[in-house]
Amino acid sequence: MARVWVPKDRNVRHHIILRRRARQSRKHAQATRLRIWSAIWLVLTVVVVVVPLAILLGGAVIVYADAVEGLPTPVETTFLDSEGITRLIDSTGATTLFRVSDPLGDRREWTRLDTLPAGDRRDADGGKTRISWT
């Protein structure tokens, strides 16, 4: 068994107790500094990275929502009385910039995918149909 030195003088014991308390105080101060610096880095990261990204994404959502607000749904565009002509107009709506005539005119009609031949069906749905090579 190891022998432990125990000071008999009161001043020496008092000095050891003071050193122990100072060591504990330094450890506590170091832990507090670590928590403070961690919090500072976390706040800086949020301010420098997260906030600008949130502003960018929020702005993109607002711009997109504003851009598509007045657009009709795809089904509604089928039944518009366009006389088979597509017009590109300026922002005021008064000047026609470009005009394209639809070759089918008013003879557009919906066609079910299952009525199309296999090759046309694959082209019509963007190649999503499974191809069987057997």
Side-chain angles (χ1 to χ4, degrees):
M1 186 163 166
R3 296 181 70 186
V4 179
W5 176 74
V6 179
K8 298 193 187 242
D9 187 10
R10 184 179 186 290
N11 289 336
V12 174
R13 282 186 292 190
H14 183 68
H15 179 69
I16 292 173
I17 292 171
L18 289 178
R19 285 178 53 197
R20 184 182 308 144
R21 287 181 183 163
R23 189 170 44 245
Q24 289 173 346
S25 176
R26 282 193 309 269
K27 283 177 76 174
H28 179 69
Q30 182 180 10
T32 302
R33 277 193 306 273
L34 179 64
R35 278 194 304 268
I36 290 171
W37 279 108
S38 298
I40 289 172
W41 282 112
L42 179 66
V43 168
L44 280 175
T45 302
V46 167
V47 168
V48 171
V49 175
V50 176
V51 170
L53 282 177
I55 290 171
L56 276 173
L57 290 176
V61 167
I62 289 171
V63 168
Y64 178 78
D66 187 47
V68 299
E69 181 180 344
L71 294 177
T73 63
V75 174
E76 291 172 347
T77 61
T78 304
F79 303 111
L80 289 176
D81 186 26
S82 65
E83 302 157 1
I85 298 173
T86 301
R87 291 179 189 85
L88 180 63
I89 57 174
D90 67 349
S91 60
T92 64
T95 306
T96 300
L97 302 174
F98 193 73
R99 183 183 304 184
V100 178
S101 296
D102 185 2
L104 294 178
D106 291 336
R107 295 178 298 156
R108 296 181 191 174
E109 60 184 48
W110 288 95
T111 304
R112 295 181 50 86
L113 284 178
D114 56 4
T115 62
L116 296 174
D120 294 340
R121 187 177 322 134
R122 191 172 49 250
D123 294 339
D125 70 356
K128 296 176 189 165
T129 307
R130 291 184 62 193
I131 300 173
S132 175
W133 296 102
T134 58

